[in-house]
Amino acid sequence: MQEELLLIQAYLRDADSKSNKNESVKMWVKQVRDIAHRIEDVIDTFLVEIEENHPKSSPWYRKVCMWLKINKQKLKLSGDLEEITQAIKKIYQLRINLEITIRGADNEQIDLVPFRPTKPTDVDDSEVVGFEDDKRNIIKQLLDTNISRRMVLSIVGPGGLGKTTLALKVFKSAELEKQNPPVTDENLQAELQKSLTSKRYLIILDDVWRDSNWEQLKTGLPDPKNASRVIITSRSVDVALAADCNTQPYKLRYLNADESIALLFRKAFQQHIQPEKYPLNLLQVAEKLTKKCSGLPLALVVLGGILSRKERNYTAWNTTEETMDWHDEAGKKCSQVLAMSYEDLPYELKPCFLYFASFPEDYKISGEHVTRMWMAEGFVPKDGARTIEDRAEKCLEELVQRCLIQVTEKSWNGYCEYCNMHDLIRDLAITKAKEENFFTIFSKEGEDVNQLPAIKPRRAALQFSTLTQHGVYSENTRSLLCFGFGQYSSNDCSFSKLNYSGFSLLRVLTLQGVDMTKFTQTQWPNGLVHLRYLGLRDCRIPKDLFSKFSFYNLETIDLKGSVSVNRGIIVLDVLIPTLKHVYGFWNFYLRLQWDHHTNLQTLNYVHIETEIVELACCINLRTLVINFRGIKDNERALQMWQNLKVVLRRTEQLVYFGIEQFGNIMRRRLLPFGGTTDLPCHGKIQNLYLKGKWIRDICVPSVEMFPPNLIKLKLTSSKLEEDPMPILEKLLSLRILHLGTYSYVGTKLICSTGGFPNLEKLRLHWLPNLCHWDIEEGAMPILRHLRIDACLSLKALPELQKVPTLQELVVNYPLPEARETMQGDKDLHKIKHIPFVRIGRDWSA
């Protein structure tokens, strides 16, 4: 049956590219998918019974009972397999009747070019707002005669963003010699090359989908070294880099709020309207309408066309806003354009994309955790040359490059830390997930989740749901994602009524903001044989939680923000050889077992002390952040540091290392750290986090204490008395620096000329004594982001005109008078060159 499943999955993979062309094929694919799911359920259910009833160290009569249960399950399995065999025969016969040809089965190569019934332009308005600056920037690059080679400039972005419109605006701005030699398909390439060899040319290639398309075209585009230019529009960054890896792709932005309003009114009124003449009775509802479009020009154009046929009053426009449906006839063009991006995805990437449908709107999605969920589901194909984590990261990167996912925050190593989806693309994902029975989503307050047993969803996401009865479960569900917001949220009463023990086939389980101490004994999610990902963020959990589980395949556990009863220590001492990634909290204790945790790659924020020597078994660790509790004695702290250094001799893969001393900020705390120089992984550590006062009572660190290839450094509670900048600015690889709460207790900081040559982000947080900060000319030459939080004594900004690369400045002050001082006329000239400035009273970390 497993072999049959592999064959069926191969059929699904090959039929996928054809299913959007033919309704019969689409129906057949759905039936094949249902059969594949049925096979998976039967096999996995049987494995659960085997694991739970396998005779182990039990009395003989107990073993007999277990074997009887297993034999009963074998009989049931036999009946299930017979039913499936008959269903498969019907499916194969239907394929023949429908004349569906499948690559491999029928030796036919399916055309993989995405189906495009029409050739829509991104925006039908050549005068669309917001592109004038983009047009000038591109023309400036094209006319740069210092670049004599043929340069390919790619404009990239998702469907509907206006790439074609922008390219046409550039084209119409150019004075071009128009010659159209007669050519045929056969001699096109040769004639094109002949025609262009002696000329300086500008050619625009619109909507290039794959780098293979460019490979076919480029031979007809010679490089006469006369500053010829090619413009490509594409939804894929990969295409752009394949065409010209030496030219940065031009990533087209979304329209801002003002530009969106302007475009909406222009299309609704069929004429240009000045902002001061916007109808006041329509402005408020127009803002709500444009917010739904999230700056996508095509959506605004489509919506404006709808409004142009409505009465120009609040009632008519508000009704449109409340009933707006991008899947009706009026929105068909918009959804077609967006759907093409999905259809063009490789088969393996489609479930990864659809998984984003499970997250609530505007949810801060962790790139690291969503890839761990993909791995748990088995979506990530194996690649012998790379780890599965690297392969999953590559899948996320490809979705970003295809402009289907937006990166909102990058991690220290340049990868996606947090991301989200454009609202319309999210709607597309939800629609496709529903069509393919991929995810069932309960997203509205009061939805009846009691339907779960009847629906039997493959995967279920619960957001703002209210249950009417206890004990609801679905034994066929593979992923259960319950989203609350904050600790013990209002949704808690909903999630606390589920019967988690009934979800026996789960591979992914996440509970956010749930008080698990309210669970009855029958609700406990024990016996989850197939569980690979367990997320318990911001939950209240019993101390003995993990003693109730039977873990066989768990790979990732996330406890960030969770607490236990009376804020005690949560202990995980269950032997789980498969465990790879652990995200803990200050109260989480992992009891390692020698030679049984060699697969561990991530130990992030885990309390460890007495059994520190057991860390030596974790030879594949890449991330290690540990917490030492209650160490106030210098000699004890020094001994702990020496023990840790000995243990870390085997962790040669470590790139992120952090240690912290837990305790009240004002108490004397001693952090067992004296420099990383003598660590075996010293040269590989790129991210270092230190919280607490160092054991050697160091007033200022030395360069030698830090790894030579350090990219990110975060210091908290170090209480350094002397200005650390003269030392830290000599860390040549440093790109991110965070001086956190009480990291420095002095009064003055000086960044000198030539210092911090590669620093891109700098954050100062709660340095209460800092009153003066001086930046010399030539310091921090590529700094882009600066954030200053609650530095209560700092009354004025440094001379930021000396940092011309600064793109974002955020200053959060708690006192109104301080904020007014920063916004005074005296300082405004210093920050006017920065695109984004916010001066406010934001206390968020």
Side-chain angles (χ1 to χ4, degrees), residues 148-198:
S148 60
R149 64 176 177 83
R150 180 198 66 200
M151 182 180 73
V152 181
L153 178 63
S154 300
I155 305 172
V156 297
L161 196 55
K163 302 181 296 296
T164 301
T165 300
L166 177 57
L168 287 173
K169 289 173 75 70
V170 171
F171 181 79
K172 290 177 181 179
S173 301
E175 295 181 1
L176 296 172
E177 182 182 0
K178 297 182 179 180
Q179 293 186 1
N180 299 298
V183 293
T184 64
D185 289 346
E186 289 73 22
N187 67 356
L188 172 62
Q189 192 175 81
E191 288 295 328
L192 185 62
Q193 189 173 37
K194 179 181 177 182
S195 173
L196 298 178
T197 298
S198 59

Side-chain angles (χ1 to χ4, degrees), residues 348 378-383 388 391 395:
E348 291 80 7
F379 296 157
V380 182
K382 294 181 179 179
D383 184 347
I388 192 170
R391 184 74 184 100
C395 290

Side-chain angles (χ1 to χ4, degrees), residues 218-343:
K218 72 176 183 180
T219 53
L221 303 176
D223 186 2
K225 306 297 182 183
N226 60 357
S228 289
R229 300 292 186 253
V230 178
I231 294 178
I232 285 178
T233 70
S234 179
R235 303 181 191 190
S236 172
V237 177
D238 281 345
V239 171
L241 296 177
D244 191 336
C245 62
N246 295 315
T247 302
Q248 188 70 19
Y250 195 93
K251 295 185 178 179
L252 196 54
R253 63 177 176 83
Y254 290 90
L255 300 183
N256 61 34
D258 292 338
E259 293 166 341
S260 298
I261 289 283
L263 179 56
L264 182 70
F265 275 121
R266 179 176 297 180
K267 296 306 296 181
F269 286 77
Q270 300 295 303
Q271 61 180 329
H272 177 70
I273 301 179
Q274 295 294 337
E276 60 270 16
K277 295 184 179 180
Y278 290 161
L280 295 179
N281 64 321
L282 298 178
L283 190 56
Q284 184 179 4
V285 68
E287 290 173 349
K288 291 195 293 183
L289 285 162
T290 54
K291 186 177 180 181
K292 285 192 173 183
C293 296
S294 301
L296 188 70
L298 176 60
L300 289 160
V301 167
V302 172
L303 180 56
I306 296 173
L307 295 175
S308 68
R309 298 186 293 274
K310 304 287 184 182
E311 293 288 332
R312 295 177 182 176
N313 57 56
Y314 177 86
T315 302
W317 280 38
N318 191 59
T319 301
T320 302
E321 190 274 330
E322 291 177 346
T323 61
M324 191 165 66
D325 181 8
W326 290 111
H327 307 293
D328 61 13
E329 285 301 315
K332 189 175 181 180
K333 177 182 175 182
C334 184
S335 34
Q336 264 189 341
V337 172
L338 296 176
M340 286 177 209
S341 297
Y342 171 74
E343 301 298 345

Side-chain angles (χ1 to χ4, degrees), residues 322 426 441-449 461-467 491 494:
E322 291 177 346
R426 179 174 176 271
I441 301 166
F442 297 87
S443 59
K444 297 178 181 177
E445 190 73 35
E447 277 190 290
D448 186 9
V449 186
L462 276 57
Q463 311 158 10
F464 307 108
S465 300
T466 302
L467 300 179
N491 291 356
S494 303

Side-chain angles (χ1 to χ4, degrees), residues 16 206 783:
D16 175 74
D206 187 35
L783 186 71

Side-chain angles (χ1 to χ4, degrees), residues 383-616:
D383 184 347
R386 289 179 291 188
T387 66
I388 192 170
E389 285 79 11
D390 291 340
R391 184 74 184 100
E393 209 167 62
K394 180 66 177 176
C395 290
L396 179 58
E397 185 181 341
E398 186 167 350
L399 289 176
V400 171
Q401 289 180 340
R402 287 172 175 267
C403 302
L404 291 171
I405 303 299
Q406 298 171 296
V407 177
T408 57
E409 190 175 335
K410 287 189 175 182
S411 64
W412 61 271
N413 53 7
Y415 291 109
C416 169
E417 183 162 7
Y418 292 103
C419 56
N420 60 20
M421 270 183 159
H422 186 285
D423 287 349
L424 295 182
I425 295 178
R426 179 174 176 271
D427 289 344
L428 169 68
I430 291 173
T431 299
K432 291 293 182 181
K434 184 177 180 181
E435 285 179 2
E436 300 182 11
N437 191 26
F438 185 84
F439 245 113
T440 297
I441 301 166
F442 297 87
S443 59
K444 297 178 181 177
E445 190 73 35
E447 277 190 290
D448 186 9
V449 186
N450 295 306
Q451 305 171 58
L452 275 174
I455 298 174
K456 296 182 178 179
R458 202 73 189 158
R459 298 169 187 88
L462 276 57
Q463 311 158 10
F464 307 108
S465 300
T466 302
L467 300 179
T468 57
Q469 64 186 39
H470 287 270
V472 176
Y473 69 91
S474 173
E475 59 184 10
N476 300 100
T477 300
R478 301 310 177 94
S479 288
L480 179 63
L481 281 62
C482 301
F483 295 98
F485 293 90
Q487 287 191 342
Y488 331 135
S489 67
S490 58
N491 291 356
D492 188 17
C493 59
S494 303
F495 304 148
S496 295
K497 293 180 182 178
L498 290 172
N499 178 11
Y500 294 95
S501 64
F503 293 88
S504 57
L505 301 184
L506 284 181
R507 294 178 181 175
V508 174
L509 172 61
T510 69
L511 301 175
Q512 181 179 333
V514 177
D515 188 351
M516 299 181 69
T517 61
K518 296 179 181 178
F519 286 8
T520 64
Q521 193 62 36
T522 57
Q523 280 183 279
W524 281 108
N526 57 344
L528 297 176
V529 172
H530 298 288
L531 192 67
R532 290 168 172 80
Y533 183 99
L534 178 62
L536 303 176
R537 286 207 164 191
D538 299 317
C539 291
R540 189 166 184 258
I541 59 182
K543 293 181 181 180
D544 60 345
L545 170 68
F546 297 106
S547 64
K548 302 176 183 295
F549 283 87
S550 299
F551 293 121
Y552 295 93
N553 296 293
L554 191 65
E555 296 175 350
T556 301
I557 182 169
D558 179 17
L559 293 171
K560 188 174 181 180
S562 291
V563 297
S564 63
V565 180
N566 298 324
R567 302 182 69 84
I569 298 296
I570 304 168
V571 180
L572 174 60
D573 57 2
V574 181
L575 177 61
I576 313 174
T578 55
L579 201 59
K580 299 171 73 174
H581 306 284
V582 177
Y583 303 88
F585 206 44
W586 64 265
N587 58 345
F588 178 67
Y589 180 79
L590 175 65
R591 184 165 292 152
L592 297 168
Q593 300 188 37
W594 183 260
D595 285 344
H596 287 301
H597 287 101
T598 56
N599 290 316
L600 272 172
Q601 297 179 31
T602 304
L603 275 177
N604 198 336
Y605 217 103
V606 175
H607 167 54
I608 186 168
E609 181 182 344
T610 56
E611 298 184 12
I612 193 171
V613 68
E614 302 296 339
L615 271 174

